[in-house]
Amino acid sequence: RKKEEEECTFRPQITATARRISRCKVAGPSATPPRAILAERMAKRAAEQREKEERECTFRPSITASARRVESRYIYETMAGVQQQQQPQRHQQQQKQERQRQKQ
């Protein structure tokens, strides 16, 4: 392949962005599946939106300690659900990459 490249006389001018994308594709697929990345981004944006809305709220209700625990447990379980969803996908991706390496 290298010999073929040396024989080519045409050298296209590409942008830095295109060069970076090309390198990413050569390096192989991302270890994190696109769905997992998207889910993580969506969860982060939702949390940021909630925080923004809470900052804008002037009403601060007095809630009991048990109500605060319920709320914090809900937030924890929501975030843990996103992480649990990502684990099987990562494992499957790693297995697929390992099988491809063994074939080579």
Side-chain angles (χ1 to χ4, degrees), residues 22-35:
S22 176
R23 270 190 243 128
C24 290
K25 288 183 180 181
V26 170
S30 171
T32 306
R35 268 191 216 159

Side-chain angles (χ1 to χ4, degrees), residues 62-78:
S62 297
I63 60 173
T64 64
S66 63
R68 269 190 232 105
R69 283 192 301 273
V70 169
E71 179 187 22
S72 64
R73 186 179 322 139
Y74 170 76
I75 292 170
Y76 173 78
E77 289 173 355
T78 302

Side-chain angles (χ1 to χ4, degrees), residues 29 93 95-104:
Q93 184 70 20
Q95 286 179 334
K96 184 178 178 181
Q97 290 174 347
E98 185 61 32
R99 284 192 300 268
Q100 288 175 346
R101 283 188 209 121
Q102 290 173 353
K103 288 180 182 178
Q104 296 174 351

Side-chain angles (χ1 to χ4, degrees), residues 1 4-5 15 17 29-30 33 37 42 57 62 64 81 87 99:
R1 176 175 169 121
E4 288 177 12
E5 289 177 6
T15 64
T17 303
S30 171
I37 294 170
M42 289 174 61
C57 291
S62 297
T64 64
Q87 291 300 329
R99 284 192 300 268

